[in-house]
Amino acid sequence: MVDWNLAVATATRLVRPGPEVSRDEARAVVAELRRHAKVSEGHVRGFTRMGTDEIHDTPVLVVDRPGWIRANVAGFREILKPLLDKMQERRGNSPGGAVLSAVGGKVTGVELGMLLSFLASRVLGQYETFAPATRELPAGGNGGGRLLLVAPNIVHVERELDVDPHDFRLWVCLHEETHRTQFSAVPWLRDHLEGEIQSFLAETDVDPMTFLERVREAAQSLAGGRPEGEEDDGGHSLVELVQSPAQREILARLTAVMSLLEGHADFVMDGVGPDVVPTVSEIREKFQQRRAKGASRLDMALRKLLGLDAKLRQYKDGERFVRAVVEQVGMDGFNRVWTSPNTLPTKAEIAKPADWVARVHRKAES
């Protein structure tokens, strides 16, 4: 269904080159990002009070754009395997299925590569947790992942914003280190997310050609393939293929979890920042302006491919949820959110933090 090697080759060929730096500058950036990631670990754990007695065994990988592409293709390949196997079996039972699969896999590989080439120049960092451990992608124990810091993108943005590069690199590391702390200090979180995704995919009854068309539309929208003047109606996403109430419930839970994780990282970044990043106010203001201006094309890609057009809203809604809960019950009270899947906020509670406080704290105290 997807030629993954062709997806990597296409994305690597099409991705834009990073900013011009000398070899010595590149080495200095990589070394500094690794130092900041290490320093951020103590700052984040001290502020969040999460996993302070444990030692991270998840590696920090400072990568270029092709490295980010390879890591994400490995993750996609793993998490989507059950769905694609199901679609492959369905197509294989149809007349000419083998030929269609071979051709379709090549086409989808190219289209997916186009999407990844676009995203690869924009992601600053990521905690990647689903790709299996390899020599190129080492991972922590017990199914842990790896922290990716995309050096050329960080340098590009710090130059574009005209901010202090050393402060900006530490600021980015604080956000990404929060994600590493979330998954390392909450051992059930990765398995819970994977279980939710697989439950969603297991109930999906997707016509292979429809699936391929959705991917193709996503890639074409990034490549300027939509006819001039045609409005983006926000439709034709994979979420349109949700058929059952159970799938809608799972999607709502996943949206709530992602809002929590992203909002928590933003909250921690802003909470730690003033003490360790001297120019944090300037960085935050300029970065927010950039995020708002650059949201349309990135959100369009994610909406078209996944049907999740709430990426930026997740940062905002999630951060408001975390801030409101911490104000009401303190950091230790907020950290009850990590007790079990049952204490995660619902999508409705993300919008109404007081409802989560009432449910979780009242139940614990009764």
Side-chain angles (χ1 to χ4, degrees):
M1 293 302 301
V2 180
D3 187 328
W4 296 105
N5 292 332
L6 184 58
V8 172
T10 300
T12 302
R13 184 177 70 253
L14 295 179
V15 71
R16 294 185 301 177
E20 291 187 9
V21 295
S22 67
R23 180 167 298 185
D24 288 342
E25 287 175 317
R27 288 173 177 168
V29 170
V30 170
E32 184 173 22
L33 286 173
R34 287 177 175 155
R35 289 196 304 271
H36 284 332
K38 183 63 178 177
V39 169
S40 295
E41 181 178 337
H43 292 315
V44 169
R45 288 176 172 235
F47 184 79
T48 63
R49 304 177 193 173
M50 294 175 66
T52 53
D53 295 330
E54 302 172 11
I55 299 176
H56 274 319
D57 67 345
T58 51
V60 176
L61 306 180
V62 182
V63 299
D64 57 10
R65 291 169 178 176
W68 180 89
I69 289 168
R70 289 190 294 270
N72 276 266
V73 165
F76 291 155
R77 188 172 190 169
E78 185 73 13
I79 203 69
L80 291 176
K81 187 177 187 300
L83 174 62
L84 296 179
D85 286 348
K86 182 179 180 180
M87 294 167 61
Q88 180 70 36
E89 181 180 359
R90 179 172 176 175
R91 171 175 279 187
N93 293 331
S94 64
V99 175
L100 288 173
S101 293
V103 175
K106 297 292 184 184
V107 173
T108 309
V110 170
E111 304 289 7
L112 181 59
M114 292 171 62
L115 283 170
L116 290 170
S117 71
F118 172 81
L119 297 174
S121 63
R122 284 156 174 78
V123 176
L124 301 182
Q126 174 188 358
Y127 187 80
E128 202 293 313
T129 184
F130 293 120
T134 63
R135 185 172 65 177
E136 185 180 37
L137 283 175
N142 299 319
R146 72 283 298 161
L147 179 62
L148 307 176
L149 297 171
V150 191
N153 295 351
I154 293 173
V155 172
H156 171 78
V157 174
E158 70 192 25
R159 290 179 178 179
E160 180 183 311
L161 298 181
D162 190 24
V163 294
D164 183 281
H166 309 293
D167 284 1
F168 183 75
R169 294 166 195 173
L170 176 56
W171 189 72
V172 170
C173 287
L174 289 171
H175 181 101
E176 303 307 332
E177 176 59 38
T178 302
H179 288 316
R180 186 163 70 140
T181 296
Q182 291 164 347
F183 282 90
S184 62
V186 186
W188 53 263
L189 183 57
R190 178 195 179 277
D191 289 342
H192 172 70
L193 278 177
E194 183 175 14
E196 292 278 55
I197 293 170
Q198 294 304 337
S199 295
F200 181 90
L201 296 178
E203 293 204 13
T204 302
D205 186 19
V206 181
D207 173 70
M209 290 308 297
T210 304
F211 176 83
L212 299 182
E213 184 62 26
R214 295 297 185 262
V215 176
R216 191 163 302 119
E217 289 175 357
Q220 289 173 351
S221 71
L222 294 179
R226 186 187 300 111
E228 186 176 354
E230 181 178 328
E231 293 295 328
D232 177 13
D233 59 7
H236 303 298
S237 69
L238 292 181
V239 171
E240 288 182 318
L241 306 176
V242 174
Q243 297 101 5
S244 71
Q247 285 181 308
R248 288 190 286 271
E249 290 177 5
I250 295 169
L251 189 63
R253 293 197 298 268
L254 283 170
T255 300
V257 173
M258 296 311 298
S259 296
L260 171 68
L261 298 181
E262 295 295 356
H264 184 233
D266 265 13
F267 176 79
V268 173
M269 182 170 59
D270 287 346
V272 175
D275 292 331
V276 298
V277 182
T279 60
V280 65
S281 296
E282 177 190 359
I283 291 173
R284 186 60 161 160
E285 181 181 358
K286 289 183 175 180
F287 191 78
Q288 289 286 60
Q289 292 173 355
R290 180 185 184 273
R291 181 184 276 177
K293 287 191 300 183
S296 57
R297 286 176 63 84
L298 178 56
D299 270 5
M300 179 174 62
L302 297 174
R303 178 173 65 247
K304 285 292 186 182
L305 185 60
L306 301 175
L308 300 176
D309 59 352
K311 181 62 176 177
L312 294 185
R313 196 180 313 131
Q314 287 174 359
Y315 287 97
K316 297 176 183 177
D317 293 349
E319 196 274 340
R320 280 195 294 265
F321 170 83
V322 176
R323 185 173 301 280
V325 171
V326 171
E327 287 176 353
Q328 291 184 56
V329 296
M331 187 64 74
D332 291 335
F334 165 78
N335 281 339
R336 289 189 185 179
V337 77
W338 311 117
T339 304
S340 75
N342 293 330
T343 57
L344 290 171
T346 65
K347 189 175 180 180
E349 287 171 342
I350 288 288
K352 294 183 178 180
D355 289 354
W356 179 87
V357 172
R359 176 173 67 87
V360 172
H361 284 262
R362 183 183 302 150
K363 182 177 179 180
E365 294 165 2
S366 62

